[in-house]
Amino acid sequence: MDDISIGLLKGIKKSFSSGVEDSKTINDLLKKLDDKKADYEDAQKYAIEVGELLSKSFEENIDSASLPNGKMYYNIAKKVVDPELKEGFEKVSDYSTKVQKNLNEDAKIGLKVQKPVYNQARSNGIVRRLADAESYDDVSWILKDPVVNFHQSVVDDTIKVNAEAHYKVGMHPKITRKVAGKACDWCMNLAGTYEYPDDVPDEVYHRHRDCRCIVTYNPGNGKAVQDVHTKKWSEISSRKESNVEYTRYVNERQRETKTSLLLQQENTQNYKPVIRGDSKIFDYNSSVSLNVKKVDSYKDYDIYVSDNINIKRKALHNIKTRNVDAMNEWGIKRKPKIVIFGEKDGITAYGKYDAITNTVFYSEDIADKRLHNSIRTEYHEMWHMKQAENFVAKHGEITEKNYFEYIKSTCDEAKKNIDTLGITEYNVSEISSYAAKNYLFGRFDEVEAEYKALVKKG
């Protein structure tokens, strides 16, 4: 049997090459790069165009009729898809690194531009997904938007490695995410500028299907280094010192920066490291159990993090601090256990308070300050704890046997309170859609918690 991958690859390469050559968008962006006027926003546009052209080339040359048994077997996908993703990577990587080189020169930054590494694991994932399907028609979409997303991520990776290089020599890189088109609420919440590395949420580089939001970076005028250290950096950059002197200077800056950051974390930020200790299992509900580790670095609190997340120290610090703030606001003395989970744990909610075990569950996503400002999850869940404490004061501990009595009692009390506030079925939606839904279900404890969080938000 002939190896059909050879013919497929030849056709795809021809289509892709022709598409790139004829693309006005590509040619305009290349001219802008040659004129040294391109920035990372242009690099993202270039990546999108390259990705869309490659996706179109796949579509023009591959269909179920051209594949044996209508299936994209692994050896075909590996020989056809991976080489073209690499070719697209080289194009986008070359453009984005040249953009960074121009930005460095404009800012008088003498650092060598860092090149991203080809994401072989991501390519393998696309290949494997194609090969696992019984019919190519079922997974042909994998070679559409995910291919564009793949190329956008090359620009993101260029930003990451260069921001890291600048950070190590004492600069304060800022990463910006911008929305494109009619953005969803999730993207709107992520839009903004973040200081690298602690303020940058992992999600800033994520994109959902058909998302064209862009991530950019501009080192500015290089003054960040002068602000932190001395003007010596500019002097060295402009004088073009020898490589030996330059390397010695960079190493010195790195040592000083590392020491400065350690002192800053110890004396001002006080962000404790996330040191994982003993394992434990928490039941989130009857169908979801979380495998977690206790965070040993927090001696004053029982905090646990899911094995499925890699939460940053600042994010954990923020969630814990906000939880304490909410407790103080509502006059709560007893400490709950805090469990942090992630998307891979299969939980869609942002938080939940378990009155039986006195455990509050939080999604790691609420560490993002924009999401926190919009929903105030900690204040919502700690109000549930306040409701539980009010019940315990009158009726004793909450157990599985009296749990429904606790819910009914709390809902009855909450209904009285929201009636006094003038909250009805006609205006409850002004609090939130979640409050409106729970009002209809008779879960007035949730309505009250939403109202309390809203008041705090306002």
Side-chain angles (χ1 to χ4, degrees):
M1 181 184 293
D2 294 336
D3 186 352
I4 67 167
S5 62
I6 297 175
L8 289 175
L9 183 59
K10 183 177 180 181
I12 293 165
K13 280 186 173 294
K14 182 178 180 180
S15 297
F16 185 39
S17 176
S18 176
V20 170
E21 185 177 341
D22 296 339
S23 171
K24 183 178 185 303
T25 299
I26 293 290
N27 290 321
D28 288 347
L29 289 170
L30 288 174
K31 183 179 185 307
K32 196 171 183 180
L33 182 67
D34 289 340
D35 293 340
K36 296 189 175 183
K37 295 179 180 179
D39 56 20
Y40 269 116
E41 193 161 343
D42 296 305
Q44 292 280 4
K45 292 176 183 177
Y46 184 85
I48 291 171
E49 181 71 5
V50 169
E52 289 179 345
L53 289 171
L54 180 56
S55 175
K56 183 180 179 182
S57 300
F58 284 137
E59 187 176 9
E60 289 175 346
N61 291 274
I62 306 174
D63 56 30
S64 57
S66 66
L67 298 170
N69 304 316
K71 176 180 172 66
M72 174 72 83
Y73 288 93
Y74 179 83
N75 64 318
I76 299 175
K78 188 66 177 174
K79 292 178 181 178
V80 170
V81 176
D82 188 57
E84 290 308 283
L85 289 178
K86 284 180 179 175
E87 183 176 348
F89 164 83
E90 290 298 336
K91 291 181 183 298
V92 178
S93 175
D94 181 66
Y95 193 100
S96 56
T97 51
K98 286 179 179 177
V99 164
Q100 185 64 58
K101 181 175 182 292
N102 292 339
L103 292 173
N104 282 0
E105 289 175 355
D106 288 344
K108 295 183 172 57
I109 297 172
L111 286 177
K112 179 182 178 182
V113 173
Q114 303 299 305
K115 183 178 179 179
V117 177
Y118 177 67
N119 194 334
Q120 187 66 62
R122 190 165 185 172
S123 173
N124 291 345
I126 292 175
V127 169
R128 175 56 62 191
R129 185 72 176 82
L130 289 166
D132 285 346
E134 289 301 316
S135 170
Y136 175 71
D137 289 339
D138 293 339
V139 289
S140 60
W141 62 269
I142 292 288
L143 294 181
K144 294 179 181 178
D145 187 71
V147 170
V148 180
N149 197 312
F150 177 91
H151 287 81
Q152 281 190 271
S153 72
V154 177
V155 182
D156 299 342
D157 290 343
T158 307
I159 290 173
K160 288 180 190 178
V161 293
N162 284 282
E164 176 68 12
H166 293 174
Y167 172 74
K168 285 182 176 179
V169 296
M171 294 183 67
H172 296 277
K174 287 183 171 59
I175 309 297
T176 299
R177 179 177 171 121
K178 299 179 180 180
V179 298
K182 189 177 180 181
C184 65
D185 290 343
W186 185 79
C187 288
M188 290 295 292
N189 282 329
L190 277 176
T193 299
Y194 305 87
E195 185 163 337
Y196 184 91
D198 287 334
D199 282 345
V200 182
D202 294 334
E203 295 81 7
V204 82
Y205 302 108
H206 295 180
R207 295 182 182 87
H208 55 75
R209 193 170 179 178
D210 296 321
C211 177
R212 293 294 179 267
C213 292
I214 62 174
V215 179
T216 67
Y217 170 56
N218 192 321
N221 56 15
K223 288 183 179 179
V225 176
Q226 295 182 23
D227 295 340
V228 178
H229 300 295
T230 67
K231 294 183 179 179
K232 190 175 182 181
W233 171 264
S234 295
E235 294 167 3
I236 286 185
S237 295
S238 60
R239 290 202 311 267
K240 299 182 179 179
E241 296 285 355
S242 69
N243 288 336
V244 174
E245 291 174 335
Y246 175 75
T247 301
R248 185 185 301 119
Y249 170 75
V250 170
N251 290 338
E252 180 185 344
R253 293 272 66 76
Q254 288 176 339
R255 285 194 298 271
E256 290 182 5
T257 302
K258 183 176 180 180
T259 302
S260 174
L261 288 173
L262 288 173
L263 289 173
Q264 184 183 27
Q265 289 172 352
E266 180 180 351
N267 297 329
T268 59
Q269 293 180 330
N270 197 28
Y271 300 151
K272 297 178 181 178
V274 184
I275 301 174
R276 302 181 186 228
D278 294 338
S279 299
K280 190 177 177 69
I281 297 177
F282 279 88
D283 290 330
Y284 179 82
N285 55 32
S286 59
S287 59
V288 176
S289 295
L290 301 174
N291 294 305
V292 302
K293 296 286 193 308
K294 191 175 188 300
V295 181
D296 288 342
S297 41
Y298 283 86
K299 304 299 183 184
D300 60 333
Y301 238 92
D302 287 339
I303 299 179
Y304 302 83
V305 294
S306 166
D307 291 345
N308 288 325
I309 67 173
N310 184 24
I311 192 168
K312 296 178 181 178
R313 62 173 66 189
K314 182 177 181 180
L316 185 58
H317 169 87
N318 286 344
I319 293 175
K320 184 257 186 183
T321 300
R322 292 167 184 165
N323 190 81
V324 172
D325 290 343
M327 289 174 60
N328 293 336
E329 180 72 20
W330 307 141
I332 297 171
K333 302 298 182 185
R334 188 170 54 137
K335 296 178 181 178
K337 295 181 284 292
I338 298 177
V339 178
I340 314 296
F341 60 85
E343 181 183 1
K344 291 182 180 179
D345 290 306
I347 301 170
T348 58
Y350 287 122
K352 172 188 174 181
Y353 176 69
D354 186 332
I356 297 176
T357 62
N358 189 34
T359 303
V360 61
F361 297 86
Y362 289 127
S363 165
E364 64 174 334
D365 292 341
I366 69 168
D368 181 270
K369 57 186 177 183
R370 286 168 175 75
L371 183 59
H372 165 74
N373 289 338
S374 67
I375 62 176
R376 296 279 181 169
T377 302
E378 298 92 343
Y379 286 91
H380 178 109
E381 300 307 332
M382 284 302 95
W383 186 256
H384 282 317
M385 185 173 178
K386 181 66 175 179
Q387 292 170 333
E389 287 198 337
N390 291 340
F391 179 88
V392 170
K394 295 178 181 178
H395 307 286
E397 289 300 313
I398 301 168
T399 65
E400 291 184 5
K401 289 184 177 181
N402 69 356
Y403 182 74
F404 290 106
E405 178 188 347
Y406 150 68
I407 292 294
K408 183 180 184 306
S409 174
T410 302
C411 286
D412 290 345
E413 191 66 30
K415 183 62 164 65
K416 295 176 186 177
N417 295 335
I418 63 178
D419 283 348
T420 301
L421 292 166
I423 298 171
T424 69
E425 62 181 304
Y426 302 108
N427 60 16
V428 66
S429 61
E430 295 177 16
I431 299 175
S432 71
S433 59
Y434 179 80
K437 179 179 70 174
N438 278 280
Y439 191 100
L440 293 176
F441 292 157
R443 287 301 302 267
F444 305 114
D445 58 329
E446 293 288 351
V447 177
E448 185 182 38
E450 277 289 275
Y451 171 76
K452 289 291 184 179
L454 176 67
V455 171
K456 248 342 260 186
K457 172 183 168 185

